[in-house]
Amino acid sequence: MKKRHLIIISILLIILSFWFGMKVEREFASWDEIGKPVFEREQIYFPNKKSSLYLKSKNWGLTADHKISVISTKREMEFQADSISEYIFHGFGEIIYKTENDTLKIYSTQKPKIPPKFESEIKVEIIEIKSNPEWIKLNDKIKNDYRKFE
């Protein structure tokens, strides 16, 4: 009788070990997704020029605590920021923008360097907002002609 119980307990332990191993493997597989970058893109079309610019962002890190946004002429969703051909914004600040004819007006709390090889027939004008009241006032205009990229 003892031998029979020992065999049944052994079989149950093997089954439980197999089940537990599958659960652990499934959990580790989901960990691969943690820290992978999340990309967003917004196309800004200029009908007069039949051309577009793209506001893109990349958010990454174990706790998603890193973010970079760019103004680009490249359509691809996934990107590595290129300071030679793209305007780069570091951090989690929002970007408010407006289009006027052949110009993209960007309102931001930071002013990126002008990339030396940004090749577009669309002009980019960066307006740095330096105070909170000014930003709040601009935020109120989003309902009209302005849009926000977060």
Side-chain angles (χ1 to χ4, degrees), residues 1 7 11 17-19 23 34 36 47 51 54 62 68 95 98 101 110 140 144-145:
M1 189 75 165
I7 291 172
I11 290 172
S17 295
F18 181 72
W19 176 80
K23 285 290 238 185
I34 295 174
K36 281 192 175 180
S51 182
Y54 300 91
L62 190 59
I68 196 165
I95 295 171
K98 177 181 182 178
N101 301 322
Q110 57 179 291
D140 291 339
N144 300 327
D145 297 334

Side-chain angles (χ1 to χ4, degrees), residues 68-124:
I68 196 165
S69 299
V70 299
I71 301 171
S72 179
T73 56
K74 300 172 188 137
R75 178 181 181 81
E76 296 81 26
M77 176 77 88
E78 295 185 12
F79 67 96
Q80 291 294 326
D82 178 8
S83 62
I84 293 174
S85 65
E86 297 174 325
Y87 288 85
I88 301 174
F89 300 85
H90 297 276
F92 286 88
E94 300 167 329
I95 295 171
I96 296 175
Y97 66 93
K98 177 181 182 178
T99 58
E100 286 183 358
N101 301 322
D102 65 343
T103 303
L104 173 62
K105 290 189 173 194
I106 297 287
Y107 301 86
S108 174
T109 55
Q110 57 179 291
K111 194 164 189 171
K113 291 180 183 174
I114 297 173
K117 295 197 177 183
F118 184 81
E119 296 177 2
S120 174
E121 57 187 350
I122 295 159
K123 298 174 194 135
V124 176

Side-chain angles (χ1 to χ4, degrees), residues 34-36 59-66 92:
I34 295 174
K36 281 192 175 180
N59 192 343
W60 75 98
L62 190 59
T63 58
D65 57 347
H66 299 286
F92 286 88

